[in-house]
Amino acid sequence: MTIKKHNQRKAKLTTYLAQLDEFNWHHPTQVSEMADSQHERDNRTYYLAQISLILFNNYQQSYMKIGQMLNMSSRTARRLTIDYEQEFGSLKGIMEELQNGKDW
C-alpha cells in the first residue's frame, strides 16, 4: 500500500470515527446528562464493533492494528469481532447510517 493510499484511508477512518460523536455535535447541552446513558454506550459499542469487523474481514487487519486505529486494546477489538455479526459491507455504509442520524 502506498503512503498516499494509507494516508487517505486513515483520513477516511478518522472521519468515520468522528461521526460516532454526532449526537454530541447536535445536542451539546445534553451531553453531560446523557454521558452515562446505556443507550449511548450501546450505540457506540455497536458501531465500533461494525468498524472492527469491516477492518478485520474486509481489510484483513490484525486485532493489534484495529486496536491502534480505533484507540482501544487488541483484546477489546477481538471481543467486539466475536460478540457482534457484521451488518455492513463497507465503511461507507456505516458513515451513511451515522450521517442519517439513525438511532441518535
Side-chain angles (χ1 to χ4, degrees):
M1 177 181 304
T2 65
I3 293 174
K4 183 178 179 181
K5 284 186 179 181
H6 176 72
N7 288 341
Q8 288 174 344
R9 194 163 84 185
K10 188 173 181 178
K12 285 182 182 179
L13 183 58
T14 301
T15 302
Y16 300 147
L17 290 174
Q19 291 297 316
L20 291 175
D21 292 326
E22 181 180 352
F23 184 84
N24 296 347
W25 296 343
H26 294 290
H27 306 283
T29 58
Q30 296 178 15
V31 172
S32 61
E33 296 171 10
M34 299 187 72
D36 295 326
S37 167
Q38 185 65 42
H39 177 71
E40 294 299 317
R41 285 193 305 268
D42 290 345
N43 278 337
R44 178 173 169 77
T45 302
Y46 169 76
Y47 286 112
L48 282 173
Q50 293 304 310
I51 292 171
S52 297
L53 284 162
I54 288 170
L55 291 172
F56 185 74
N57 294 328
N58 297 16
Y59 297 101
Q60 292 76 41
Q61 297 294 313
S62 68
Y63 296 124
M64 183 68 76
K65 279 293 211 184
I66 293 169
Q68 289 173 348
M69 286 188 259
L70 300 179
N71 196 26
M72 61 184 164
S73 72
S74 59
R75 182 176 290 167
T76 301
R78 182 177 183 278
R79 181 183 54 81
L80 290 174
T81 60
I82 292 170
D83 291 349
Y84 289 85
E85 291 185 27
Q86 185 171 341
E87 296 181 14
F88 294 93
S90 68
L91 292 171
K92 185 177 180 180
I94 294 174
M95 183 176 159
E96 288 172 359
E97 185 160 325
L98 289 170
Q99 285 177 341
N100 292 335
K102 185 169 191 227
D103 293 332
W104 298 98

